[in-house]
Amino acid sequence: MPKQEVKLHYKNVMADVIGNEHGITPEQLKDLADKTSPLILRLNKERQDGKTPYRDLPYNSQIAQQVKELVKELTGRCENLVLFGIGGSALGNIALQTALNPYMHNLDDTQRSGPRLFVFDNIAPEQLDKLDKTIFNVISKSGWTAETAAQFMIVRQLLLDKLGPGDCKKQIITTTDANQGILRRIANNAGFRSLVIPEGIGGRFSVLSVVGLFSAAMCGIDIDSLLQGARDMDTRVSCEDFYRNPAAINAAINYHFYNRGKKISVMMPYSYHLKDLADWYRQLWAESLGKAEDLAGNEVHIGPTPVKALGTTDQHSQVQLYREGPNDKLFTFLQVRNFDKDIKIGPAPDYAPELGFLAGKDLSKLLNNEKKATEYALLESKRPCLTVLFDRVNAYTVGQFIYLFEVTTSFAGALFNINPYDQPAVELGKEAAFALMGRQGYEELAQEIKPLNAFDEDYLV
Ligand code: PA5
């Protein structure tokens, strides 16, 4: 079977397709190559120096082995797997599940080779039963996120009340840092089983670590193929030739359009299975690239705004704006060449022969033609469009996609001259939540926040 790949098609951002006013001329592409090529060498060097440990995750066979052993141990005694985590501790897990397991995974026993999966990445009171058949995986890199801590505390009490301390212990698995954070202290004291997030891996770059691999493997996803896909993409995104390096080109094109006033980046998958990868990308892009300061400490307030849209659904809600509103967006479509399952459209009723043009055709053909039609409409309006083309959606290609966009983010960070690996603004929000909830040591911050949060009756209409 030919190798199934993920490729970036960038012809439809070029000036000969959408004109000089909005497209990239060959000279501009050459300038981008000149600017980005040294960054390829720099990123490769930083990686060799251990400065971007997420790059090495696909090669860490110890992690995969540890995950597989735990999965084996739990097989047969876990009907439901519940994840508590947020942001980078949840979005990758959701994306893998939607991409690689059947739509009916949770509802149909015959379509499932592992437990049902529920990812609680928000806080809402939930009803839980069959606790002895439910494993709770509490995921937090910092170990301090209030929402995750609250969920853990609710469930711990529930388990203690229903199962007692001995069995409660068996139902909880923590995923956190090796040494830091309160979740680590809890895991050590309570004796919960624990998966360790390697050092230097931020939440949004952690899906190929224990954070994403455990739930994936539990639910029957082939994590070996996922990691193989990432490794094969690593070869391509390390390539020193700009024109053959999809991450370098992708980042350079995004950077170019940002500087030409197209500050919104829309990712639009034409596959239901890929829809949550766009959510994962949204966090990766926003948290990594939205920064107040550049590496020299200058105030820059930079960062493209990532937007998620789903084809064909959002053709019927967003495309009017995308075509006729401001030309301030770069579009990235996700398209699938071959679908695993297809459905033929039925015949047209005798009294509606006009629908005969659809009859007997594959639904996937309609989906892909809808994508082409939308792209055509956007190109007619001189809107730049990229396509990420999946030969097929499987663990191998999804691994490629994840790695491609992680490294694209590193390149974009280097082009914008900012640090893509921190998230100081998220941290401030977390601290403010601690202060508002009365955590010791945050009293001053609580006072500072108070006037900003009070509802002023004069303004309440
Ligand atoms: O990417 C990030 O670092 C963040 O989005 C975190 O993943 C998110 O805030 C959750 O943090 P933690 O895993 O520390 O609970």
Side-chain angles (χ1 to χ4, degrees):
M1 202 180 4
K3 203 161 149 186
Q4 288 157 358
E5 286 194 311
V6 169
K7 291 201 163 166
L8 179 75
H9 179 251
Y10 65 96
K11 182 174 180 197
N12 290 344
V13 300
M14 298 301 291
D16 55 358
V17 179
I18 55 171
N20 282 3
E21 194 189 338
H22 293 286
I24 300 179
T25 63
E27 297 71 37
Q28 286 168 332
L29 189 64
K30 163 95 181 39
D31 288 347
L32 286 173
D34 292 345
K35 186 168 172 69
T36 312
S37 293
L39 299 178
I40 302 178
L41 303 180
R42 189 179 109 191
L43 257 58
N44 285 350
K45 171 89 175 55
E46 283 176 3
R47 185 254 179 89
Q48 274 160 16
D49 293 345
K51 291 191 179 143
T52 44
Y54 84 86
R55 295 283 306 260
D56 298 324
L57 284 175
Y59 300 88
N60 190 328
S61 52
Q62 251 180 317
I63 292 184
Q65 195 48 39
Q66 193 194 1
V67 163
K68 283 182 199 166
E69 275 163 22
L70 186 54
V71 169
K72 202 164 152 202
E73 187 193 324
L74 296 172
T75 301
R77 68 173 203 82
C78 176
E79 289 182 9
N80 304 307
L81 176 62
V82 177
L83 305 192
F84 295 143
I86 202 159
S89 293
L91 290 167
N93 305 65
I94 297 171
L96 290 179
Q97 178 75 2
T98 312
L100 299 172
N101 270 331
Y103 182 62
M104 298 291 278
H105 177 95
N106 274 5
L107 298 177
D108 181 355
D109 293 349
T110 64
Q111 294 191 36
R112 204 170 54 234
S113 59
R116 296 176 198 89
L117 180 70
F118 303 94
V119 183
F120 293 177
D121 68 339
N122 207 320
I123 30 179
E126 300 292 344
Q127 276 243 312
L128 298 160
D129 61 3
K130 284 190 125 188
L131 287 174
D132 57 331
K133 293 274 182 197
T134 301
I135 297 287
F136 297 90
N137 182 201
V138 187
I139 312 175
S140 179
K141 166 73 182 166
S142 63
W144 269 112
T145 301
E147 297 94 312
T148 310
Q151 288 170 321
F152 160 74
M153 285 154 78
I154 292 168
V155 159
R156 172 182 166 269
Q157 196 54 50
L158 210 64
L159 288 168
L160 284 173
D161 292 348
K162 294 224 168 148
L163 306 178
D167 283 345
C168 163
K169 207 160 80 174
K170 293 187 197 153
Q171 305 311 117
I172 294 180
I173 294 171
T174 56
T175 301
T176 190
D177 189 83
N179 307 303
Q180 318 235 337
I182 196 118
L183 187 57
R184 168 52 52 208
R185 196 197 310 158
I186 290 168
N188 292 350
N189 275 277
F192 295 137
R193 259 165 316 181
S194 187
L195 293 164
V196 172
I197 307 174
E199 216 178 310
I201 313 273
R204 57 195 176 276
F205 290 91
S206 69
V207 56
L208 298 178
S209 76
V210 285
V211 171
L213 294 183
F214 172 63
S215 67
M218 280 293 284
C219 295
I221 290 170
D222 177 357
I223 60 170
D224 291 326
S225 294
L226 190 75
L227 295 171
Q228 184 62 50
R231 286 195 293 272
D232 286 353
M233 182 55 77
D234 184 24
T235 310
R236 292 168 59 199
V237 297
S238 304
C239 174
E240 291 178 12
D241 177 355
F242 172 80
Y243 294 97
R244 288 176 50 228
N245 183 323
I249 294 195
N250 195 14
I253 289 171
N254 273 274
Y255 168 76
H256 173 88
F257 282 119
Y258 180 88
N259 289 325
R260 282 174 73 184
K262 299 189 201 311
K263 294 184 191 288
I264 299 172
S265 178
V266 179
M267 181 172 279
M268 193 162 183
Y270 272 73
S271 155
Y272 182 83
H273 279 291
L274 300 180
K275 81 177 174 62
D276 292 326
L277 276 171
D279 247 350
W280 168 83
Y281 148 82
R282 209 160 53 110
Q283 185 212 8
L284 181 69
W285 209 238
E287 276 192 5
S288 302
L289 303 179
K291 294 291 150 75
E293 287 184 3
D294 68 10
L295 290 175
N298 302 308
E299 213 174 308
V300 286
H301 297 288
I302 222 158
T305 300
V307 170
K308 170 196 179 180
L310 177 65
T312 67
T313 310
D314 289 318
Q315 265 172 240
H316 306 277
S317 82
Q318 302 294 304
V319 170
Q320 174 62 32
L321 168 75
Y322 291 170
R323 264 203 82 190
E324 292 190 7
N327 193 341
D328 57 357
K329 300 171 192 68
L330 168 64
F331 296 89
T332 302
F333 293 105
L334 308 188
Q335 187 180 339
V336 180
R337 246 194 243 271
N338 301 296
F339 287 81
D340 280 343
K341 280 193 191 149
D342 219 330
I343 299 178
K344 286 235 182 290
I345 302 169
D350 292 344
Y351 40 82
E354 298 90 334
L355 289 179
F357 74 98
L358 292 172
K361 298 199 174 132
D362 290 334
L363 203 55
S364 65
K365 183 172 180 172
L366 177 61
L367 183 61
N368 276 342
N369 280 330
E370 292 282 353
K371 181 262 174 182
K372 288 179 197 165
T374 303
E375 187 175 18
Y376 163 75
L378 291 171
L379 293 174
E380 279 296 291
S381 301
K382 314 287 179 219
R383 315 285 149 137
C385 297
L386 294 167
T387 294
V388 178
L389 187 59
F390 286 67
D391 277 337
R392 226 170 239 292
V393 177
N394 55 34
Y396 180 63
T397 55
V398 168
Q400 291 176 57
F401 176 87
I402 286 171
Y403 206 81
L404 170 63
F405 274 84
E406 286 181 343
V407 181
T408 297
T409 306
S410 291
F411 275 115
L415 285 161
F416 284 118
N417 195 33
I418 50 93
N419 175 6
Y421 307 114
D422 65 358
Q423 57 287 324
V426 180
E427 303 305 339
L428 181 62
K430 284 186 183 182
E431 283 169 22
F434 293 154
L436 290 166
M437 292 301 284
R439 185 174 162 190
Q440 218 179 0
Y442 290 80
E443 295 78 5
E444 226 173 276
L445 182 56
Q447 286 309 317
E448 205 179 303
I449 297 168
K450 225 175 175 179
L452 293 172
N453 268 250
F455 287 114
D456 186 330
E457 288 298 329
D458 292 344
Y459 292 82
L460 208 53
V461 289

